[in-house]
Amino acid sequence: MDYSQLVDEHCDRHADITIAAQPVTIEDASAMGIFRFDHGGQIVAFEEKPTHDRLVEAGQSIPKGSSFGGHSADKPFVASMGVYVFSRDVLLDAIEQENAADFGRQIIPAALGRYKVNAHLFRGYWADVGTVASFYDANIMLTQAGAPFKFYDPALADLHARALPPRRAPQRVHGA
């Protein structure tokens, strides 16, 4: 993710808080923090790890007929990626609140309706690595053929080649 795009959108929309988000399937949504939006794209609700029944009841994150798009039929929910941009004063106020220790369970829900909270929809590769098992799985997946993300960028190949130290031939030890 290019974080400068996230920060630019935060500034352009005059947001108090901007949260990186990504459309997800109903199966993935129950393990994440899910947003609900108003017709203009403002986040109005946040649920941390809703049950499958609750997701079926809600149907989708963005209301029908909204001017704000971002989901599809196969990914009807918009989930938090756990990447936040706060305006300075809002962050200081948020962390001074009593018992404010967790973004997903306390700080973000308390900010809704009080501050302008927007989502930055990211459509590139991202994996939720909130557990050791999911971190391991994401790393192993990236080593396999057909991985959804490639670390090699041909546009940067020449730069990387120049940044590497020179190769040295192995030295032989005489008399051994």
Side-chain angles (χ1 to χ4, degrees):
M1 169 187 276
D2 181 347
Y3 290 109
S4 67
Q5 293 174 355
L6 175 67
V7 172
D8 288 347
E9 185 172 334
H10 176 79
C11 295
D12 291 347
R13 295 181 73 186
H14 304 286
D16 295 313
I17 303 170
T18 301
I19 305 169
Q22 191 167 60
V24 295
T25 65
I26 193 168
E27 292 78 19
D28 291 336
S30 61
M32 302 175 160
I34 303 301
F35 298 121
R36 300 274 303 184
F37 297 88
D38 64 14
H39 285 286
Q42 182 89 16
I43 298 172
V44 293
F46 178 78
E47 282 187 63
E48 184 70 24
K49 297 180 174 78
T51 65
H52 187 355
D53 291 343
R54 174 70 183 116
L55 293 166
V56 169
E57 177 188 318
Q60 61 189 41
S61 286
I62 301 170
K64 293 185 186 319
S66 173
S67 62
F68 177 70
H71 67 282
S72 59
D74 63 325
K75 294 183 177 183
F77 295 96
V78 179
S80 171
M81 293 171 59
V83 178
Y84 311 99
V85 175
F86 280 77
S87 295
R88 181 185 180 277
D89 292 340
V90 172
L91 178 60
L92 292 174
D93 184 50
I95 60 177
E96 288 176 357
Q97 300 302 312
E98 188 175 333
N99 299 321
D102 186 277
F103 282 98
R105 297 191 190 279
Q106 298 159 329
I107 294 173
I108 300 302
L112 299 176
R114 186 172 177 197
Y115 297 110
K116 186 175 180 185
V117 183
N118 290 322
H120 168 76
L121 292 178
F122 177 70
R123 299 194 195 293
Y125 171 74
W126 175 77
D128 180 19
V129 292
T131 66
V132 172
S134 62
F135 179 78
Y136 175 81
D137 291 343
N139 278 276
I140 293 301
M141 180 192 55
L142 291 175
T143 67
Q144 298 172 351
F149 178 79
K150 305 277 189 240
F151 287 101
Y152 177 74
D153 183 346
L156 299 175
D158 191 42
L159 173 68
H160 291 302
R162 282 184 265 136
L164 295 174
R167 292 182 63 190
R168 294 171 43 189
Q171 296 182 358
R172 295 186 178 177
V173 177
H174 295 287

